[in-house]
């Protein structure tokens, strides 16, 4: 046994178990608005306790732990903690990476570890709606930052003729809409178009309707509780699926329903996690992130549904292309790609 290799492995363990434990602290910081409060300016623990209304002692431990992880900054000369501009952008800005909210997603799905273990034994799966509510809110926050940065500016322009239709006034279906963030972003960018979101999770649809009303676009954005195989409406110029096709037990059935719902010259935009077609292609930090989420969320949800598919979050392009072809689509291309997402343009 090579002791240097053992020491290296243990060093990795210390880093990662520290990060795992710190995830709870980050989620607490998000839940209590601590990062937002710290963005108002440097503070000692006593001053920060007065600012936030929290008890000084646990707050002190939280501040020190966050500084140890590099999430906030400590100035030993003054005893003050603060956020740099870059830290504040990543932790506080809702249009930024919003990573503190993303930690709630991870902690939310980890609460299902006993259910997931049982799913390993039985193969029966765990449906999306059996998870903690932090999963739904954390998921919306995690993906929203990527959609804010890419959806209107890059992904839609990359689709053939779609932007012009949206600007003129198009009918759009957002299938598997979750809390409705993607539909709201498109609605704000294209005021002449109408948007119909659908999701099988009733609680998510309730929240999506609330967010739509708060945004003042409820006259153009509607939501229904429906599966991807049963959403209503026809003649859509664009049907969009954001990071959800791989979660479905019957993606072919969903693709066939999209084919029926599209206008003759319509477009199906499928946004999926970025992945290669081989395991080796995905053995990197982003792949690891997605495999973890897929183990707890994507594959268990698919196994809980009829259909026989369980693609997982790192399926890659090939099976998506096959599903589209089996559903009767004849044109398929990758229109755009980021470090986290691939965008496919699929047409009749």
């Amino acid at each position: 046994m090579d002791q240097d290799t053992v020491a290296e492995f243990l060093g990795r363990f210390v880093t990662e178990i520290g990060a795992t434990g710190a995830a709870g602290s980050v989620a607490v910081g998000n839940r209590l608005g601590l990062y937002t409060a710290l963005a108002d300016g440097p503070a000692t623990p006593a001053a920060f306790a007065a600012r936030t209304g929290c008890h000084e002692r646990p707050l002190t431990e939280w501040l020190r732990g966050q500084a140890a992880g590099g999430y906030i900054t400590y100035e030993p000369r003054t005893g003050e903690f603060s956020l740099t501009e870059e830290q504040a952008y990543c932790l506080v800005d809702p249009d930024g990476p919003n990573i503190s909210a993303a930690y709630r997603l991870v902690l939310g799905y980890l609460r299902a570890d006993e259910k997931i273990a049982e799913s390993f034994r039985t193969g029966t799966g765990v449906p999306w709606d059996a998870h903690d509510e932090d999963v739904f809110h954390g998921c919306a926050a995690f993906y929203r930052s990527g959609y804010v940065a890419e959806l209107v500016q890059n992904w839609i322009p990359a689709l053939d003729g779609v932007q012009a239709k949206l600007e003129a006034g198009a009918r759009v279906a957002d299938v598997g809409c979750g809390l409705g963030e993607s539909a709201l972003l498109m609605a704000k960018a294209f005021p002449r178009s109408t948007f119909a979101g659908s999701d099988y999770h009733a609680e998510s649809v309730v929240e999506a309707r609330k967010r739509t009303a708060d945004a003042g676009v409820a006259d153009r954005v509607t939501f229904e509780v429906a599966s991807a195989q049963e959403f209503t409406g026809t003649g859509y110029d664009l049907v969009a699926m954001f990071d959800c096709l791989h979660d479905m037990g019957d993606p072919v059935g969903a693709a066939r329903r999209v084919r029926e719902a599209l206008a003759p010259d319509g477009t199906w935009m499928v946004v999926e996690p970025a992945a290669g077609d081989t395991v080796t292609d995905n053995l990197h930090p982003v792949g690891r992130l997605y495999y973890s989420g897929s183990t707890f969320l994507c594959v268990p949800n698919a196994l809980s549904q009829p259909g026989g598919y369980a693609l997982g979050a790192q399926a890659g392009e090939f099976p998506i292309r096959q599903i589209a072809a089996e559903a009767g689509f004849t044109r398929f291309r990758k229109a755009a790609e980021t470090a986290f997402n691939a965008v496919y343009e699929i047409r009749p």
Side-chain angles (χ1 to χ4, degrees), residues 165-180:
K165 291 181 181 179
L166 291 170
E167 290 172 344
R171 297 185 66 235
V172 181
D174 185 354
V175 178
C177 65
L179 304 192

Side-chain angles (χ1 to χ4, degrees), residues 75-92:
E75 175 50 65
R77 292 177 301 172
T78 63
E80 292 180 320
F81 296 85
S82 63
L83 287 174
T84 65
E85 181 180 0
E86 295 78 13
Q87 289 168 334
Y89 170 68
C90 290
L91 289 161
V92 177

Side-chain angles (χ1 to χ4, degrees), residues 16-342:
E16 296 194 354
I17 198 168
T20 302
S25 294
V26 177
V28 166
N30 174 269
R31 196 181 299 277
L32 296 178
L34 299 182
Y35 296 110
T36 302
L38 194 57
D40 289 340
T44 62
F48 197 51
R51 183 185 299 175
T52 61
C54 293
H55 192 282
E56 182 180 346
R57 185 62 191 93
L59 198 60
T60 299
E61 213 71 1
W62 183 86
L63 288 164
R64 291 171 178 173
Q66 293 296 291
Y71 276 45
I72 68 175
T73 302
Y74 175 62
E75 175 50 65
R77 292 177 301 172
T78 63
E80 292 180 320
F81 296 85
S82 63
L83 287 174
T84 65
E85 181 180 0
E86 295 78 13
Q87 289 168 334
Y89 170 68
C90 290
L91 289 161
V92 177
D93 190 339
D95 291 337
N98 203 5
I99 60 175
S100 65
Y103 274 93
R104 293 179 63 179
L105 162 62
V106 176
L107 287 182
Y109 70 59
L110 289 178
R111 293 187 186 112
D113 63 319
E114 291 186 9
K115 295 177 182 178
I116 298 302
E118 184 63 20
S119 177
F120 273 49
R121 297 185 186 100
T122 65
T124 55
V126 177
W128 182 259
D129 58 4
H131 282 278
D132 187 274
E133 67 173 9
D134 274 354
V135 168
F136 317 125
H137 291 273
C139 189
F142 174 72
Y143 285 105
R144 183 181 186 277
S145 61
Y147 301 159
V148 167
E150 299 288 346
L151 175 55
V152 173
Q153 299 91 321
N154 297 312
W155 294 348
I156 287 175
L159 304 174
D160 186 20
V162 170
Q163 180 166 330
K165 291 181 181 179
L166 291 170
E167 290 172 344
R171 297 185 66 235
V172 181
D174 185 354
V175 178
C177 65
L179 304 192
E181 291 290 353
S182 48
L184 290 178
L185 288 171
M186 291 187 289
K188 291 175 183 178
F190 302 105
R192 294 182 178 177
S193 293
T194 59
F195 301 84
S198 59
D199 200 287
Y200 97 104
H201 183 230
E203 287 80 2
S204 289
V205 170
V206 170
E207 177 64 20
R209 288 170 177 160
K210 179 181 181 300
R211 295 186 181 199
T212 298
D214 292 344
V217 293
D219 59 325
R220 296 187 295 108
V221 185
T222 60
F223 296 97
E224 66 172 336
V225 179
S227 72
Q229 296 79 22
E230 298 174 337
F231 70 94
T232 61
T234 57
Y236 290 111
D237 300 291
L238 175 67
V239 175
M241 288 187 183
F242 294 93
D243 290 290
C244 64
L245 183 67
H246 66 272
D247 295 316
M248 300 175 190
D250 183 17
V252 174
R256 287 177 176 145
R257 173 65 193 121
V258 171
R259 180 72 180 82
E260 295 170 352
L262 277 175
D265 62 343
T267 300
W268 181 24
M269 176 173 67
V270 175
V271 179
E272 282 286 291
D277 287 323
T278 70
V279 173
T280 304
D281 290 338
N282 303 319
L283 299 183
H284 49 70
V286 174
R288 186 190 190 196
L289 173 69
Y290 278 130
Y291 279 128
S292 295
S294 191
T295 300
F296 273 77
L297 294 174
C298 311
V299 167
N301 184 72
L303 290 174
S304 75
Q305 299 176 349
Y309 278 80
L311 293 177
Q314 292 290 269
E317 178 177 336
F318 181 71
I320 309 299
R321 184 184 290 273
Q322 283 188 312
I323 287 166
E326 188 172 346
F329 290 91
T330 62
R331 289 172 284 177
F332 184 107
R333 74 180 180 96
K334 182 186 290 185
E337 188 171 20
T338 70
F340 288 96
N341 286 107

